[in-house]
């Protein structure tokens, strides 16, 4: 006689990002979302890669403390321009300044993901580094783009999944969804390791 499969643990995405939510929906697993309420201020001298890893894990642990039986995903992305972190611009002026800094440059988008289950003691974190080469943008191109897409909630001030792709010369990555905000190949690997069954 076949045993019926045991029910899966609740999956919680510790993020309010609509981009991460849309990406996680691709896996066709039921999940909830909740805000992680973590201070995202970089520590003095903290490298972008270290910042992304620390914040992804902190977000997952913060949400897991409130949902100890659940499998929790935390994620963070930091745009890395020659070792300097570029966060979400928040305003048109800051987005303009970021894009002017990045024109003609290669920016590494450090996208970290952590999976934690407090009940089982499971905790893993991984990082996908996406190299993005920006075209040598004119001020007029930057202004037109920002007025058209208003990407003020995106690290690096550009949405590659939208009109922002027109700003770029190249994208190099082994996990293509990482640039949008959640590296799904790595996420799937960790969810399986945490005991979830994926299609």
């Amino acid at each position: 006689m076949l045993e019926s499969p045991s029910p899966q643990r609740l999956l919680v995405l510790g993020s309010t990002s609509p981009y991460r939510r849309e990406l996680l929906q691709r896996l066709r697993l039921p999940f909830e979302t909740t805000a992680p309420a973590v201070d995202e201020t970089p520590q003095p001298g903290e490298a972008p890669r270290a910042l992304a890893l620390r914040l992804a894990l902190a977000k997952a642990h913060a949400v897991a403390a409130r949902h100890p039986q659940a499998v929790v995903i935390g994620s963070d992305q930091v745009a890395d321009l020659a070792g300097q972190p570029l966060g979400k611009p928040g305003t048109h002026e800051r987005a303009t300044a970021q894009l002017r800094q990045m024109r003609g440059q290669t920016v590494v988008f450090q996208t970290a993901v952590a999976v934690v289950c407090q009940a089982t003691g499971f905790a893993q974190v991984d990082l996908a580094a996406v190299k993005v080469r920006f075209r040598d943008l004119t001020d007029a191109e930057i202004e037109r783009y920002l007025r058209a897409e208003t990407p003020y909630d995106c690290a690096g001030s550009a949405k590659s999944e939208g009109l922002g792709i027109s700003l770029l010369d190249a994208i190099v990555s082994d996990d293509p969804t990482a640039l949008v905000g959640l590296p799904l190949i790595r996420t799937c690997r960790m969810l399986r390791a945490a005991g979830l069954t994926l299609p």
Side-chain angles (χ1 to χ4, degrees):
M1 181 173 155
L2 290 174
E3 288 186 26
S4 61
S6 57
Q8 296 213 76
R9 290 187 180 275
L10 173 68
L11 178 61
V12 179
L13 175 62
S15 175
T16 55
S17 163
Y19 313 111
R20 290 193 180 106
R21 185 177 64 244
E22 287 167 17
L23 287 169
L24 191 56
Q25 285 171 342
R26 294 185 190 183
L27 303 184
R28 300 185 185 184
L29 293 171
F31 67 93
E32 296 178 5
T33 60
T34 188
V38 166
D39 180 3
E40 298 189 26
T41 307
Q43 294 174 350
E46 189 172 29
R49 183 180 195 279
L51 174 62
L53 286 164
R54 178 177 64 81
L55 290 179
L57 202 51
K59 290 174 182 181
H61 279 300
V63 173
R66 301 195 307 265
H67 300 275
Q69 297 298 320
V71 172
V72 177
I73 299 169
S75 187
D76 193 75
Q77 183 180 75
V78 180
D80 178 349
L81 177 59
Q84 295 302 309
L86 299 176
K88 298 171 185 171
T91 67
H92 182 84
E93 292 71 30
R94 281 198 287 252
T96 300
Q98 279 191 358
L99 288 174
R100 284 176 177 166
Q101 273 185 284
M102 296 186 299
R103 58 182 161 201
Q105 303 292 317
T106 295
V107 179
V108 181
F109 285 80
Q110 309 278 9
T111 308
V113 60
V115 174
V116 169
C117 180
Q118 203 170 78
T120 63
F122 182 87
Q124 284 187 5
V125 63
D126 202 351
L127 181 132
V130 183
K131 291 183 180 178
V132 177
R133 193 168 68 244
F134 281 79
R135 290 189 307 100
D136 192 8
L137 304 166
T138 66
D139 285 351
E141 286 175 314
I142 290 170
E143 182 67 15
R144 282 197 307 272
Y145 169 68
L146 291 176
R147 293 295 177 198
E149 197 153 63
T150 61
Y152 308 135
D153 62 344
C154 297
S157 305
K159 294 182 185 180
S160 66
E161 69 275 24
L163 183 59
I165 200 74
S166 70
L167 307 180
L168 311 178
D169 268 336
I171 297 172
V172 180
S173 175
D174 66 354
D175 203 334
T177 56
L179 187 55
V180 183
L182 186 65
L184 285 181
I185 293 172
R186 285 164 173 77
T187 301
C188 288
R189 188 183 303 142
M190 287 191 278
L191 291 178
R192 287 189 204 99
L196 295 189
T197 302
L198 276 75

